[in-house]
């Protein structure tokens, strides 16, 4: 009987049996078929509008629309990277390189490798790449910072949203660097598709628009794409428990205690790509996106039975919690030492007299 299970290491197995018994790990190919088709239509419509509008500053509105479409494509690439769509390595990889590398210029090989490390060690300093970047998530890291990094940490809550405007560029740069330097599978294939995306994107923008309009379009498009992606990821783990590399928590607790859910609705689920069910996603990464909503009450009930804290909040509250955490951690970064008046040395006085 499930109630007889007392070993913490087997609790996840109990939950897994409940989830599998409810059919929530089954593929949802029909959902992904129409979701992919709608996203492809939106992508084509955006670029068609770009050509029709032509030489005009109204293109900044098209840039904003395409930023949202790029984010939706990124969500589909995310699902393919977790094998949520087809359930096989080859099919999901092919889907990922077409939507990721060619569609939006983000390497599926780099992203999968980087993101799998995050899932294996969520919010773990020294192991999770998502907490070892430009922001500090623990007081120890903030306190040990030096130079420019210390200055950023000190003001990271205020800088958070402005810095997200650079996230799109960061994704492109990391993808290109990985293809050139990392030992990822199919590097030549991925590099070719990234180059095809960049060439097509830049040629379209600079052939249709004036140089000033082209630069404005790129800045708005890539800036809003990065902002959208960052706002999607921000509620998921920021402000939740930060672990050390030697933490001994089991898989169930490691995933639940470091993740936060955002209450869903049709609008929220669509806008956040299903990642608002972050706890369920971390517990079952290969679970198809539409099943996460159905799994949520089951997982919440299971956590309540075990006395395990289950964090779920509204979207606005999630940002407030995240920013409050960044601010409290940032205050632990040592302030820059004040520079007092410089007293002339005896030698300097002697030199002036002489």
């Amino acid at each position: 009987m499930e109630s007889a299970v007392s070993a913490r290491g087997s609790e996840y197995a109990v939950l897994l049996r409940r989830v599998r018994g409810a059919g929530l790990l089954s593929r949802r190919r029909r959902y992904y078929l129409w979701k992919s088709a709608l996203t492809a239509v939106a992508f084509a419509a955006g670029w068609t509008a770009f050509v029709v509008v032509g030489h005009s500053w109204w293109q900044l509105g098209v840039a904003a629309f395409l930023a949202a479409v790029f984010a939706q494509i990124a969500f589909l690439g995310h699902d393919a990277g977790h094998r949520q769509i087809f359930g096989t390595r080859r099919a999901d990889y092919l889907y990922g390189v077409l939507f990721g590398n060619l569609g939006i210029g983000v390497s599926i090989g780099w992203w999968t490798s980087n993101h799998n490390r995050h899932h294996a060690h969520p919010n773990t300093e020294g192991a999770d790449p998502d907490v070892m970047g430009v922001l500090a998530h623990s007081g120890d890291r903030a306190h040990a910072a030096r130079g420019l990094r210390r200055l950023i940490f000190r003001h990271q809550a205020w800088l958070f949203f402005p810095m997200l405007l650079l996230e799109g560029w960061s994704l492109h740069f990391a993808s290109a660097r990985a293809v050139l330097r990392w030992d990822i599978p199919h590097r030549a294939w991925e590099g070719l598709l990234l180059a095809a995306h960049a060439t097509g994107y830049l040629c379209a923008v600079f052939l249709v628009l004036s140089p000033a309009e082209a630069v404005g379009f790129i800045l708005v498009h890539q800036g809003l794409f990065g902002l959208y992606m960052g706002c999607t990821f921000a509620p998921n783990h920021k402000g939740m428990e930060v672990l050390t590399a030697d933490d001994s928590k089991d898989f169930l607790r490691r995933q639940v205690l470091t993740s936060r859910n955002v209450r869903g609705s049709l609008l929220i689920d669509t806008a956040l790509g299903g990642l608002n069910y972050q706890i369920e996603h971390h517990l079952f990464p290969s679970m198809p996106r539409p099943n996460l909503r159905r799994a949520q009450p089951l997982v919440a009930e299971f956590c309540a039975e075990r006395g395990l804290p289950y964090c779920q909040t509204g979207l606005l509250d999630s940002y407030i919690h995240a920013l409050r955490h960044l601010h409290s951690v940032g205050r632990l970064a040592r302030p820059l030492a004040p520079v007092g008046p410089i007293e002339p040395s005896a030698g300097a006085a002697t030199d002036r007299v002489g």
Side-chain angles (χ1 to χ4, degrees), residues 20-259:
R20 182 176 286 125
L24 298 178
L25 295 179
S26 301
R27 299 305 97 194
R28 296 288 300 274
R29 294 188 180 91
R30 183 175 301 178
Y31 166 86
Y32 281 108
L33 176 62
W34 70 258
K35 190 73 174 180
S36 301
L38 285 179
T39 306
V41 167
F43 182 82
W47 286 113
T48 300
F50 174 81
V51 173
V52 171
V53 172
H55 183 63
S56 169
W57 284 104
W58 286 107
Q59 290 284 12
L60 298 185
V62 178
F65 174 77
L66 282 172
V69 175
F70 268 44
Q72 291 297 320
I73 294 174
F75 295 148
L76 289 170
H78 166 271
D79 294 359
H82 282 296
R83 301 187 203 171
Q84 295 178 14
I85 301 175
F86 299 103
T88 62
R89 182 188 298 271
R90 181 178 179 82
D92 279 311
Y93 177 77
L94 288 175
Y95 185 101
V97 293
L98 289 176
F99 275 72
N101 294 56
L102 184 60
I104 62 174
V106 176
S107 164
I108 189 66
W110 161 76
W111 178 86
T112 301
S113 174
N114 196 67
H115 195 61
N116 284 347
R117 290 165 56 202
H118 160 69
H119 269 263
H121 308 282
N123 266 25
T124 304
E125 291 203 324
D128 180 0
D130 288 0
V131 298
M132 298 305 294
V134 70
L135 301 176
H137 295 266
S138 74
D140 289 343
R141 186 162 186 252
H143 187 72
R146 297 289 188 276
L148 178 60
R149 177 164 291 184
R150 176 175 58 181
L151 182 63
I152 293 174
F153 289 172
R154 186 78 177 168
H155 304 284
Q156 61 183 5
W158 296 99
L159 294 173
F160 177 67
F161 286 110
M163 286 193 298
L164 290 183
L165 295 171
L166 303 176
E167 179 64 18
W169 300 101
S170 176
L171 292 173
H172 298 313
F173 174 75
S175 296
R177 181 180 59 184
V179 166
L180 292 174
R181 298 182 181 180
W182 288 21
D183 187 22
I184 61 176
H186 314 295
R187 287 175 60 189
W189 172 240
E190 292 216 15
L192 180 63
L193 291 177
L194 287 178
H197 168 84
T199 301
Y201 180 87
L202 294 174
C203 285
V205 171
F206 281 97
L207 286 175
V208 172
L209 305 178
S210 70
E213 291 168 347
V215 171
F217 179 92
I218 293 172
L219 290 176
V220 170
H221 178 227
Q222 297 297 330
L224 292 182
F225 170 52
L227 180 65
Y228 190 151
M229 296 303 296
C231 287
T232 299
F233 300 142
N236 298 343
H237 302 282
K238 291 175 177 60
M240 300 305 294
E241 185 170 347
V242 178
L243 308 178
T244 60
D246 58 353
D247 192 279
S248 60
K249 288 183 177 64
D250 60 41
F251 177 82
L252 175 68
R253 284 161 177 77
R254 191 163 65 246
Q255 304 299 338
V256 173
L257 295 177
T258 60
S259 302

